Amino acid sequence: MKKYKVTLIPGDGIGPEVAYAAKDCVDATGVNIDWEEVVCGEAAIKDFGTPLPEAVLDSIRKNKVALKGPITTPVGSGFRSVNVGLRQALDLYACLRPAKYYEGAQTRYRDVDLVIVRENSEDLYAGIEFAEGAADTKAIITAINEKSVKKIRGDSGVSIKPISKFASKRIVRFAFEYALKNKRKKVTCVHKANIMKFTDGLFLSCAREVASEYAGKIEFNDAIVDNLSMQLVKAPHNFDVLVLPNLYGDIISDLCAGLIGGLGIAPGANIGEGMAIFEPVHGSAPKYAGLNKVNPTATILSGVLMLKYLGEEKTAERLENAVRDVIKEGKFVTYDFRLRKDEPSVGTREMAAAIIEKLK
Ligand code: NAD
């Protein structure tokens, strides 16, 4: 039997609960994984003085694959996002987030099976920011005001939105290759090119160029992000694969999670050249930490994506079927599968145990 070594990052808040639940479910499939657990996030600050120790990056570089729980990012100030830092440091440029309906999930929609492909390295998430009042910021504002007809107010903070031809073509090609490999029919490029002509406009023109290479094999169209939001809520079945720049990809991911019954069900993967981190779309939900309450499905389904990535297609299918059966039966499911608060539900561990039982 093939043996794998995988980095395990439990994360912050509810992270350890969902990450261990997913690890146990993956192990229960019988696949031979030697897990290398590393500390990252708030817990790492105490021991290593940084939320993203070099040892974490080294472990992922060595093992090539990681399963990760969410990590907290302080809002407005404090350390920068470790999640974004990991993706950038390892150039995990493609964020893959399937949004699929499972019978039993709390949602108005039945016919949702779409995949979000989010560019992970650029856009307003590049982390190129200049604080209001700082000397560098003033110099940048002065330089821009000299070159631009439109002026920036002197008391502004500035975030830069870089979009390159290289990264745009790379992510669109990833989306088309994913569509081909997974028998998808259509790729939709999402943008705001009517307003941001030199960034989103570039993204769209790169998408059109790459799409022409797949003409006759995969359908292609584009949508403006605000209109797409309305269309997704109205008729999500009209969409298949969506490819988006970083910021829209982040927001639309949560919208699509809402379509399928909430963040507790939405898995994800961050993929680069020969390396990948698998993690749920949701964050560390600190108010639920340690309560054995939240839904482990998103992280377990991230484990399914990981098994597929490792080439363990059949095992991945078995695990997904076990998750599907437990959700459909609706007996051992967490609170977010219930319409009313007074309906009985089980905890994180009990739901994972029910999934493991199905694998026996
Ligand atoms: P969140 O996703 O952590 O939680 C928002 C709400 O979604 C929760 O209050 C809960 O109602 C629901 N929810 C989330 N996960 C759930 C689950 N597994 N089961 C059931 N319900 C669930 O978003 P937030 O509160 O905006 O962010 C909290 C922290 O997480 C922040 O520090 C944020 O930066 C971080 N974050 C991390 C990641 C990541 O690690 N990739 C992603 C998003 C947010």
Side-chain angles (χ1 to χ4, degrees):
M1 186 194 279
K2 205 164 167 194
K3 195 171 175 181
Y4 305 96
K5 190 148 189 184
V6 171
T7 300
L8 180 70
I9 304 172
D12 297 322
I14 58 168
E17 293 164 72
V18 292
Y20 293 132
K23 170 191 172 290
D24 290 349
C25 288
V26 170
D27 282 341
T29 64
V31 72
N32 192 348
I33 293 181
D34 178 12
W35 301 90
E36 183 172 85
E37 189 171 323
V38 291
V39 184
C40 190
E42 284 176 327
I45 298 177
K46 196 161 46 77
D47 292 339
F48 301 92
T50 165
L52 181 48
E54 202 51 40
V56 173
L57 295 170
D58 288 346
S59 170
I60 303 169
R61 284 193 190 105
K62 175 170 59 85
N63 297 330
K64 311 284 185 213
V65 180
L67 182 65
K68 170 183 167 297
I71 292 174
T72 300
T73 308
V75 177
S77 58
F79 63 80
R80 284 204 168 271
S81 168
V82 171
N83 309 302
V84 174
L86 274 169
R87 294 165 197 163
Q88 288 179 347
L90 303 170
D91 197 21
L92 305 177
Y93 65 88
C95 181
L96 188 72
R97 292 176 161 178
K100 184 161 144 187
Y101 169 70
Y102 291 96
E103 193 182 337
Q106 273 311 328
T107 169
R108 293 161 199 272
Y109 304 94
R110 295 289 174 272
D111 200 5
V112 185
D113 182 8
L114 51 88
V115 177
I116 290 160
V117 177
R118 163 189 174 193
E119 205 289 322
N120 240 354
S121 69
E122 300 196 322
D123 196 359
L124 284 161
Y125 280 53
I128 307 170
E129 296 201 287
F130 298 90
E132 185 275 317
D136 281 354
T137 314
K138 285 188 184 144
I140 278 163
I141 291 175
T142 306
I144 291 174
N145 285 349
E146 277 169 21
K147 303 267 181 207
S148 169
V149 181
K150 303 264 169 65
K151 304 298 176 203
I152 302 177
R153 289 192 183 91
D155 62 349
S156 299
V158 177
S159 298
I160 304 289
K161 174 179 165 116
I163 301 259
S164 68
K165 281 160 79 172
F166 170 80
S168 302
K169 286 186 190 172
R170 179 170 72 164
I171 194 67
V172 176
R173 187 159 281 114
F174 181 97
F176 274 96
E177 286 300 318
Y178 177 89
L180 270 184
K181 203 169 158 211
N182 292 278
K183 301 192 173 46
R184 297 274 171 171
K185 294 197 165 51
K186 183 169 75 175
V187 172
T188 302
C189 169
V190 183
H191 58 84
K192 189 79 186 169
N194 50 332
I195 305 296
M196 282 162 279
K197 297 186 190 297
F198 299 147
T199 47
D200 286 25
L202 186 64
F203 188 79
L204 176 58
S205 67
C206 289
R208 286 184 172 141
E209 194 184 318
V210 173
S212 67
E213 296 169 25
Y214 295 85
K217 291 187 203 145
I218 303 282
E219 205 187 313
F220 173 75
N221 66 357
D222 70 278
I224 294 176
V225 64
D226 38 354
N227 179 263
L228 172 94
S229 306
M230 184 277 294
Q231 289 193 56
L232 276 173
V233 172
K234 211 170 155 214
H237 53 267
N238 286 335
F239 295 93
D240 193 349
V241 176
L242 305 175
V243 62
L244 317 89
N246 210 336
L247 175 64
Y248 311 142
D250 194 9
I251 298 168
I252 296 297
S253 294
D254 271 37
L255 189 156
C256 289
L259 296 177
I260 56 164
L263 282 166
I265 310 171
N270 302 289
I271 302 173
E273 297 301 338
M275 213 183 290
I277 297 180
F278 297 84
E279 63 176 345
V281 173
H282 65 73
S284 57
K287 70 176 177 188
Y288 293 114
L291 301 181
N292 186 38
K293 184 170 170 75
V294 296
N295 189 347
T297 304
T299 317
I300 298 169
L301 290 175
S302 302
V304 169
L305 294 177
M306 184 186 85
L307 289 168
K308 280 189 191 157
Y309 180 85
L310 290 172
E312 297 282 344
E313 293 279 346
K314 287 238 146 53
T315 311
E317 206 176 305
R318 268 181 64 227
L319 180 53
E320 186 182 3
N321 287 341
V323 173
R324 178 184 288 124
D325 290 350
V326 168
I327 296 176
K328 190 173 172 188
E329 286 168 16
K331 270 202 289 194
F332 298 98
V333 291
T334 46
Y335 75 99
D336 51 323
F337 287 101
R338 301 297 188 218
L339 200 54
R340 292 188 1 223
K341 277 191 174 159
D342 56 357
E343 280 182 89
S345 57
V346 302
T348 313
R349 282 195 294 275
E350 290 69 29
M351 183 165 179
I355 292 166
I356 290 167
E357 195 58 37
K358 293 276 177 208
L359 290 163
K360 284 182 180 161

